[in-house]
Amino acid sequence: IKKQQQDVLGFLEANKIEFEEKDIAANEENRKWMRENVPEDSRPASGNPLPPRLFNDSRYLGDYEAFFEARENNAVYAFLGLTAPPGSKVGEHLPPTAP
């Protein structure tokens, strides 16, 4: 979990994307908020959802696997619900156009 959290935070910091980190280990309110805001269909079959979980304000975006997939597809800004900066390598992924 820690490695995944560091991966997400490192990416956001490197790309100068503003974010707010919420510690659910030390803050019961943050833990409760996360559990209440992860949609039913994104929860594990048993137990509670584990971090890292990404949100844009209170809108649930996904877990680490969804973030990783978006990063691999150069679609992180779209995943995060943000507009990619001009010339960004991780902008919205556009399918190749036909010749």
Side-chain angles (χ1 to χ4, degrees):
I1 291 174
K2 187 71 173 168
K3 185 175 186 250
Q4 291 177 351
Q5 289 171 323
Q6 290 172 338
D7 189 30
V8 171
L9 293 176
F11 179 88
L12 296 173
E13 289 169 352
N15 288 283
K16 297 180 174 70
I17 298 171
E18 290 184 35
F19 65 93
E20 177 185 350
E21 183 180 5
K22 292 192 176 203
D23 185 348
I24 65 163
N27 186 310
E28 181 61 35
E29 281 188 39
N30 287 343
R31 187 175 321 132
K32 184 179 177 188
W33 185 91
M34 183 191 79
R35 289 177 181 165
E36 289 173 353
N37 286 283
V38 172
E40 277 298 319
D41 61 347
S42 296
R43 295 173 187 260
S46 63
N48 291 309
L50 298 174
R53 298 291 172 143
L54 290 93
F55 295 84
N56 186 335
D57 290 322
S58 62
R59 184 171 57 92
Y60 181 70
L61 303 175
D63 58 9
Y64 177 77
E65 287 75 24
F67 168 81
F68 183 81
E69 185 176 316
R71 192 175 68 189
E72 290 294 304
N73 292 320
N74 292 324
V76 173
Y77 284 91
F79 169 77
L80 295 173
L82 303 173
T83 301
S88 172
K89 293 179 184 174
V90 289
E92 294 185 32
H93 179 69
L94 300 175
T97 55

